[in-house]
Amino acid sequence: MTSQVPCYTIINSPDLEVPNEMQLKQDLEKGDTNVKIETLKRVIKLLLNGERYPGLIMTIIRFVLPVQNHTIKKLLLIFWEIVPKTSADGKLLQEMILVCDAYRKDLQHPNEFLRGSTLRFLCKLKEPELLEPLMPAIRACLDHRHSYVRRNAVLAIFTIYKNFDWLVPDGPELIASFLDTQQDMSCKRNAFLMLLHADQERALNYLASCIDQVHTFGDILQLVIVELIYKVCHANPAERSRFIRCIYNLLNSSSNAVRYESAGTLITLSLAPTAIKAAASCYIELVVKESDNNVKLIVLDRLVAMKEHEGMEKVMQDLVMDVLRVLAAPDIEVRRKTLALALDLVYSRNIGEMVLVLKKEVAKTHNVEHEDTGKYRQLLVRTLHTCSIKFPDVAANVIPVLVEFLSDTNELAAADVLIFIREAIQKFPALRALIIEHLIEAFPQIKSSKIHRAAVWILGEYVEGSQILEVIAVIQQTLGEVPMVEAEQRRLAGDQTEEQKQQQGSAGGSAAGSATEGSGSGNASNKVTSDGTYATQSAYSLAPVAKAEKRPPLRQYLMDGDFFIGAALSATLTKLALRFAELETEPRAQNRLTTQVMLIMSSILHLGKSGFPSKPITNDDTDRIFVCLRTLSERTPEAVSVFTLYCREALGKMLDAQHDEDQRMLKEKQKATAKVQPDDPVLFAQLSNGRDNQLGENVFESSLNQALAGSKNAQLSDVASPNSKLNKVTQLTGFSDPVYAEAYVNVNQYDIVLDVLIVNQTNDTLQNCTLELATLGDLKLVERPHPVVLAPHDFCNIKANVKVSSTENGIIFGNIVYDTALNTNVVVLNTIHIDIMDYIIPASCTDTEFRQMWQDFEWENKVTVNTSFTDLHEYLKHLLKSTNMKCLTPEKALSGQCGFMAANMYAKSIFGENALANLSIEKPVDDPDSKVTGHIRIRAKSQGMALSLGDKISSSQKQSVQAA
């Protein structure tokens, strides 16, 4: 026996204190209208919370039902909907006959709103004994003057015919004749909807008779017509030719919803190029014209799905320029998806046009300061980068546009430009001179030390010939006067530095009281104190605080204590001097340049130890600069080859590894697209597991399956398979308990449905057997399960819904309470742990984004590795499988055995939360039987996410250890 209560309206209410039944009766009998309204509301909430008041039904029939107040009438419809209408033995209550008479009066009421709302209520009734006497009144409502009554009468007849067709045996004929006489669009829509589900042949006949007028119908009717055409053509492909023209016409409907549905239907019915082009163009128009960002993203997903289909991609390639129109939308997500789609579709014939559009978009971002402008610039840079690598012919056009970004205040966009320039300069030797020229030009305008550092490395690695002296000159210009310590002392003393002299030329007088270097007397200046007297202040009595004067950029970084750029600069200057020595045969010229370079390096070292910068130079940077100085002075062949050859080789290997990884990912994607072979077995829907090729499937079925399967696309129809249900069953009580219970936990994205089986193992009848549940974490019980009566050795299923609002490990606990003839008993249930893995999906991000998030996220959870695994790679695989995370560290970086492994992992939850993890493990190489040791650091924005993932890793480790 299954206790299936009909689904009804759910009204959320806080926990109420349960009032006295006598008090409720008194308020309903003797209270005025307002008191009755309030009491009725309380009774409805109490009923929904699982209370039972069988004695109130008669009171409400006698004292509340006759009241003509409209609010009471509305509340009574909800009350009769939820109140139990049958006794414990399953027979209809006698009182319901009186209620039935009241319904009949309401169906004949002169007020059309009362009639319509009563008809809507009748759609929810599941008792044919109550509906049978009302049938003549319901039929009479079909001829009412008001469309609100007529359309609800159609819906009432539809649901009654669907549930109890013997009550309206002539339902389809009745509605078909009703449809022919109607002018109101909502009545037509409801009538057509009934014919669509109840008698498809009649619906087709009606559609055939008015197929030329379909474009004049209202959008609600057009949507139902699209659904009918889809179902008919899917069941009987020979009918396509009759209706495909109608779908083409509906692509031009005034309603966006109709156009969207028509486009989706068209591509499932026909794969002709004209149909694909018409549907794709319709989708693009919808994205451009629709203002809601969610709608834009949904429609873009449809375009992406079309692109992934082999037969449609070629047709869609011609629509790249139309797709790029979507970039006018201000939302960054929409732009990101659009650029990714355009990048996948672009090919050699239209790449030139696409680059022109992207260049215009770059120009538009220069003067607009919006919160997402920086991210959008970064997106444009990455897209142009990919275009250039895919189609080298356009690289020469793209480089000048991108180099302008180097002076951008947005460091992320500038960093992406340098990654592009580094790849382009390595892969396209013909463009090296052009890139270097633009890079030298932009070098003084760069505003970030990271960007300067990367630019310096590129210049040092790839500059050749006459450009070497040009680069050294521009580095000197951005570094300022050398030696730097003396220049800073003069600046502090108030003297003019060389730069200031160059700016002012020979004009201007000398600074008063200049102090000579190393002299004991300080620069004295007169200051006026608060009481009006003069005080003398010496420059050497002050701490050497750098004045807020404008310095050249490289000098400013060094003064701020960033000596890493000094080390990078030294390595670059060393490379330039060694290359110049290879080109220049005259020793004097070689030595002049080498000494110039060595002076800059020694000056950086001196400055680092002088106390002028805010932080002193680190030992690492000091050692690096000393190595550069020594290499220049001794020039041993090994050191020279490291500086001139090995750096570039390392970059080449890294870029090749990246390219191989991208190709591998592309191959994996292509493998995933299923191709039908001539000898493939025939698919039977009943035997299919839902993961077969989905083209030509019933989209209504698949969308329902997807909604049921939650976030895992791979398990679309596993929900229906009995095996998956068995895997998710949790035992709640013991086999020897008087009441045995087990729950099937079904997770549907933001909802959890508990299907609890309760078995009475005693010889007694259990009265008021109630499942009482409570939750911990971000879970919320939507409604309380109803009490049931269990006969001896009987069983029933009770469903409970739980809402989920974030990715945290939730716990559901509770007990079963039941009454026997003697007393009330309680059986405590085992707790149900809701697994965080149902909400986490693998995701990928760039190294820069990973580092940025790692820096920004404040919650960290460190888990120590405790496992029986003896292989580092096996442990990583186990970890990825148990946490649903994706390893961002490429396979090549992890290959080989060195006794140590570090890897970055990333995942996203369906609530949009990010989770980062860093694995750091080791084992002795000489002992193959030793276990893996180390730790995993997890970072997330919310504490719950970090703790939940840590718990998951710990529990998976325990299981693996126990299994071992």
Side-chain angles (χ1 to χ4, degrees):
M1 159 213 157
T2 304
S3 165
Q4 279 290 0
V5 180
C7 182
Y8 48 70
T9 312
I10 291 176
I11 299 164
N12 182 35
S13 58
D15 295 331
L16 302 162
E17 80 257 10
V18 181
N20 186 345
E21 189 171 345
M22 288 306 295
Q23 180 62 46
L24 289 173
K25 279 188 177 179
Q26 203 170 349
D27 287 346
L28 289 169
E29 283 178 30
K30 299 186 175 146
D32 60 10
T33 306
N34 289 337
V35 172
K36 285 182 179 177
I37 288 170
E38 288 307 312
T39 310
L40 199 51
K41 282 181 180 175
R42 285 176 73 195
V43 170
I44 288 169
K45 286 176 181 174
L46 288 163
L47 282 173
L48 287 170
N49 277 353
E51 301 298 332
R52 286 289 165 268
Y53 296 108
L56 283 181
I57 294 182
M58 205 60 217
T59 309
I60 286 173
I61 290 172
R62 285 176 60 205
F63 298 103
V64 183
L65 202 54
V67 179
Q68 289 301 308
N69 181 287
H70 280 206
T71 308
I72 285 183
K73 291 273 185 198
K74 281 188 206 171
L75 289 170
L76 278 173
L77 291 177
I78 298 172
F79 175 78
W80 295 124
E81 184 187 336
I82 63 173
V83 76
K85 300 170 191 64
T86 53
S87 57
D89 56 0
K91 289 183 179 173
L92 196 70
L93 293 172
Q94 295 294 321
E95 294 93 328
M96 296 314 290
I97 307 295
L98 298 168
V99 178
C100 191
D101 190 51
Y103 293 154
R104 197 168 47 74
K105 284 179 183 162
D106 281 347
L107 286 175
Q108 293 163 347
H109 200 282
N111 182 310
E112 65 273 2
F113 176 75
L114 260 180
R115 275 201 193 198
S117 50
T118 308
L119 284 162
R120 284 177 79 86
F121 157 69
L122 292 179
C123 295
K124 299 171 186 173
L125 275 189
K126 295 285 183 286
E127 288 79 21
E129 302 96 320
L130 285 176
L131 291 168
E132 194 169 5
L134 301 174
M135 287 317 301
I138 295 172
R139 282 169 171 265
C141 286
L142 283 175
D143 301 323
H144 193 271
R145 60 185 172 75
H146 204 285
S147 63
Y148 179 70
V149 178
R150 293 200 304 275
R151 70 169 178 258
N152 283 313
V154 174
L155 277 183
I157 288 173
F158 176 26
T159 49
I160 292 167
Y161 181 80
K162 196 165 63 175
N163 296 325
F164 319 104
D165 55 355
W166 45 272
L167 287 177
V168 223
D170 61 337
E173 295 95 22
L174 183 69
I175 296 301
S177 56
F178 170 81
L179 185 58
D180 289 333
T181 60
Q182 279 309 303
Q183 295 304 315
D184 182 76
M185 217 36 85
S186 58
C187 295
K188 272 184 156 180
R189 179 252 180 199
N190 287 1
F192 193 78
L193 189 66
M194 173 172 172
L195 290 181
L196 165 65
H197 292 283
D199 190 344
Q200 218 172 72
E201 198 55 48
R202 284 178 195 275
L204 280 176
N205 292 340
Y206 173 75
L207 181 58
S209 67
C210 61
I211 200 157
D212 295 331
Q213 287 94 44
V214 166
H215 63 278
T216 62
F217 292 167
D219 55 346
I220 52 174
L221 182 54
Q222 285 178 342
L223 281 170
V224 184
I225 287 172
V226 171
E227 188 183 341
L228 171 72
I229 292 173
Y230 178 81
K231 284 189 170 176
V232 169
C233 296
H234 198 274
N236 184 7
E239 296 281 344
R240 286 181 190 179
S241 53
R242 270 177 74 189
F243 297 112
I244 208 153
R245 175 56 48 201
C246 178
I247 292 287
Y248 267 111
N249 291 341
L250 288 174
L251 285 178
N252 301 318
S253 167
S254 56
S255 160
N256 284 350
V258 174
R259 296 176 70 194
Y260 175 77
E261 291 296 338
S262 303
T265 302
L266 184 60
I267 52 176
T268 56
L269 298 183
S270 168
L271 288 180
T274 48
I276 295 164
K277 195 166 186 178
S281 302
C282 179
Y283 279 145
I284 292 166
E285 283 296 316
L286 283 175
V287 184
V288 172
K289 290 181 179 172
E290 185 56 54
S291 56
D292 188 338
N293 282 334
N294 292 326
V295 175
K296 285 179 189 283
L297 290 168
I298 289 166
V299 182
L300 277 170
D301 280 338
R302 296 287 305 181
L303 283 166
V304 171
M306 282 177 72
K307 180 263 304 175
E308 284 171 357
H309 184 263
E310 214 174 359
M312 299 184 192
E313 190 175 9
K314 287 188 175 66
V315 180
M316 289 183 68
Q317 283 178 340
D318 296 328
L319 297 170
V320 171
M321 301 315 291
D322 290 332
V323 169
L324 289 173
R325 287 163 55 204
V326 182
L327 291 176
D331 184 67
I332 189 73
E333 278 305 315
V334 174
R335 285 169 159 179
R336 182 179 281 120
K337 211 162 248 189
T338 306
L339 286 171
L341 176 62
L343 204 52
D344 287 341
L345 289 175
V346 75
Y347 64 115
S348 52
R349 279 219 300 265
N350 54 17
I351 181 67
E353 293 175 67
M354 178 166 160
V355 167
L356 282 174
V357 171
L358 294 178
K359 279 162 84 171
K360 280 182 189 168
E361 286 296 316
V362 168
K364 281 182 199 170
T365 62
H366 281 312
N367 303 319
V368 181
E369 278 314 316
H370 185 264
E371 58 181 322
D372 286 332
T373 306
K375 289 180 186 170
Y376 183 42
R377 282 186 200 169
Q378 198 180 355
L379 272 179
L380 289 170
V381 168
R382 286 184 184 175
T383 310
L384 285 166
H385 172 178
T386 316
C387 288
S388 305
I389 301 304
K390 250 182 164 181
F391 305 97
D393 299 347
V394 298
N397 288 334
V398 169
I399 287 160
V401 179
L402 290 187
V403 171
E404 289 176 21
F405 275 93
L406 289 176
S407 58
D408 201 281
T409 48
N410 178 12
E411 194 179 279
L412 294 171
D416 279 346
V417 171
L418 276 173
I419 290 169
F420 160 64
I421 286 175
R422 190 181 67 186
E423 191 171 346
I425 208 166
Q426 172 72 13
K427 286 191 173 177
F428 312 133
L431 295 174
R432 279 180 191 168
L434 173 75
I435 294 172
I436 295 293
E437 187 186 322
H438 283 289
L439 199 52
I440 292 171
E441 203 177 298
F443 193 82
Q445 276 81 46
I446 296 173
K447 297 182 176 70
S448 158
S449 74
K450 281 184 185 174
I451 308 304
H452 254 130
R453 201 168 66 222
V456 157
W457 187 90
I458 293 171
L459 287 171
E461 198 57 57
Y462 292 98
V463 167
E464 287 163 359
S466 59
Q467 285 180 320
I468 290 176
L469 295 172
E470 211 179 318
V471 169
I472 290 177
V474 85
I475 286 174
Q476 279 186 317
Q477 181 195 335
T478 45
L479 193 59
E481 186 187 341
V482 178
M484 287 182 270
V485 174
E486 285 80 349
E488 286 302 319
Q489 280 177 336
R490 281 205 298 280
R491 186 190 292 271
L492 191 66
D495 285 357
Q496 278 192 323
T497 58
E498 287 297 319
E499 298 124 43
Q500 290 165 337
K501 284 179 185 172
Q502 283 169 10
Q503 283 167 11
Q504 291 177 5
S506 54
S510 62
S514 62
T516 56
E517 191 182 327
S519 65
S521 64
N523 172 32
S525 61
N526 288 336
K527 301 278 178 190
V528 181
T529 59
S530 55
D531 59 354
T533 57
Y534 287 99
T536 304
Q537 189 179 38
S538 166
Y540 290 136
S541 68
L542 297 169
V545 178
K547 295 180 186 175
E549 291 180 35
K550 193 160 174 65
R551 292 188 179 87
L554 291 179
R555 171 87 61 87
Q556 188 61 53
Y557 304 144
L558 298 172
M559 290 301 290
D560 293 339
D562 182 3
F563 280 91
F564 187 25
I565 193 162
L569 193 60
S570 304
T572 292
L573 290 169
T574 307
K575 289 177 193 172
L576 293 173
L578 293 171
R579 285 223 181 83
F580 186 76
E582 287 172 13
L583 293 170
E584 184 61 58
T585 50
E586 193 189 336
R588 286 187 62 176
Q590 282 182 20
N591 292 340
R592 192 183 301 118
L593 186 80
T594 306
T595 48
Q596 191 181 345
V597 162
M598 290 171 92
L599 173 64
I600 293 173
M601 292 187 216
S602 55
S603 178
I604 292 170
L605 275 174
H606 190 193
L607 180 70
K609 295 185 185 300
S610 68
F612 279 108
S614 54
K615 291 178 204 157
I617 190 168
T618 62
N619 292 341
D620 282 352
D621 295 332
T622 307
D623 290 350
R624 183 87 189 276
I625 296 172
F626 272 128
V627 166
C628 293
L629 286 166
R630 191 169 175 185
T631 304
L632 282 176
S633 59
E634 294 178 6
R635 300 202 184 175
T636 55
E638 292 86 356
V640 170
S641 61
V642 167
F643 275 99
T644 54
L645 298 173
Y646 292 164
C647 291
R648 197 177 301 189
E649 276 180 24
L651 174 66
K653 283 177 186 169
M654 188 189 84
L655 291 176
D656 290 343
Q658 274 180 359
H659 181 70
D660 293 346
E661 183 70 15
D662 292 343
Q663 289 300 314
R664 189 179 65 79
M665 297 284 283
L666 202 64
K667 276 182 187 170
E668 277 180 12
K669 269 188 185 174
Q670 286 168 348
K671 271 183 200 168
T673 58
K675 291 184 173 63
V676 181
Q677 300 298 337
D679 56 346
D680 275 356
V682 178
L683 295 177
F684 293 94
Q686 289 81 353
L687 308 175
S688 136
N689 66 355
R691 294 188 193 165
D692 308 308
N693 183 17
Q694 293 190 348
L695 183 73
E697 63 180 344
N698 189 329
V699 288
F700 292 114
E701 287 295 319
S702 65
S703 59
L704 179 64
N705 282 344
Q706 197 155 8
L708 288 171
S711 58
K712 311 281 192 312
N713 291 337
Q715 298 167 352
L716 266 187
S717 284
D718 280 4
V719 192
S721 77
N723 295 342
S724 72
K725 277 201 164 191
L726 291 173
N727 294 337
K728 291 184 181 176
V729 168
T730 309
Q731 189 177 334
L732 300 179
T733 64
F735 292 116
S736 57
D737 282 317
V739 175
Y740 172 73
E742 63 182 28
Y744 162 56
V745 184
N746 187 13
V747 178
N748 307 330
Q749 285 207 343
Y750 306 107
D751 303 293
I752 297 168
V753 179
L754 296 181
D755 190 350
V756 185
L757 170 72
I758 296 177
V759 184
N760 177 6
Q761 302 198 103
T762 66
N763 293 323
D764 302 322
T765 300
L766 305 184
Q767 300 285 341
N768 280 339
C769 185
T770 311
L771 177 68
E772 294 183 346
L773 295 173
T775 56
L776 274 180
D778 276 350
L779 303 177
K780 188 177 179 185
L781 199 64
V782 177
E783 58 173 326
R784 290 185 185 177
H786 288 285
V788 290
V789 177
L790 280 179
H793 301 290
D794 198 357
F795 64 88
C796 72
N797 285 72
I798 295 178
K799 286 192 169 66
N801 293 307
V802 177
K803 271 271 180 239
V804 186
S805 52
S806 84
T807 319
E808 281 192 34
N809 279 341
I811 295 173
I812 301 172
F813 60 96
N815 50 42
I816 292 175
V817 183
Y818 60 91
D819 298 337
T820 56
L822 301 171
N823 55 4
T824 301
N825 300 284
V826 177
V827 179
V828 178
L829 303 178
N830 192 8
T831 54
I832 301 171
H833 291 265
I834 301 303
D835 194 352
I836 184 179
M837 289 305 106
D838 288 315
Y839 305 107
I840 285 186
I841 42 179
S844 57
C845 64
T846 63
D847 288 348
T848 320
E849 287 165 347
F850 185 91
R851 279 196 290 272
Q852 188 62 44
M853 284 192 281
W854 189 268
Q855 198 176 321
D856 294 344
F857 290 171
E858 53 205 50
W859 291 102
E860 181 173 304
N861 188 8
K862 192 172 180 180
V863 181
T864 306
V865 172
N866 171 26
T867 181
S868 56
F869 281 96
T870 56
D871 183 81
L872 300 176
H873 293 88
E874 287 299 319
Y875 180 75
L876 176 63
K877 280 181 194 167
H878 165 73
L879 189 67
L880 293 174
K881 189 179 176 186
S882 59
T883 58
N884 270 3
M885 296 189 99
K886 181 176 180 176
C887 183
L888 298 180
T889 311
E891 193 66 39
K892 285 204 171 179
L894 298 171
S895 57
Q897 291 287 354
C898 65
F900 178 81
M901 178 189 281
N904 289 337
M905 297 172 288
Y906 177 57
K908 252 185 168 178
S909 78
I910 59 169
F911 303 98
E913 299 163 308
N914 296 306
L916 313 173
N918 173 259
L919 171 72
S920 184
I921 49 176
E922 62 182 338
K923 65 164 277 184
V925 185
D926 51 356
D927 182 5
D929 296 327
S930 65
K931 293 183 173 58
V932 171
T933 57
H935 56 261
I936 302 146
R937 288 164 71 199
I938 303 156
R939 282 206 178 179
K941 203 164 194 176
S942 64
Q943 184 185 15
M945 184 84 162
L947 291 175
S948 301
L949 258 179
D951 291 347
K952 181 66 190 171
I953 291 170
S954 301
S955 64
S956 71
Q957 288 189 151
K958 274 181 197 165
Q959 286 166 8
S960 67
V961 170
Q962 285 165 0

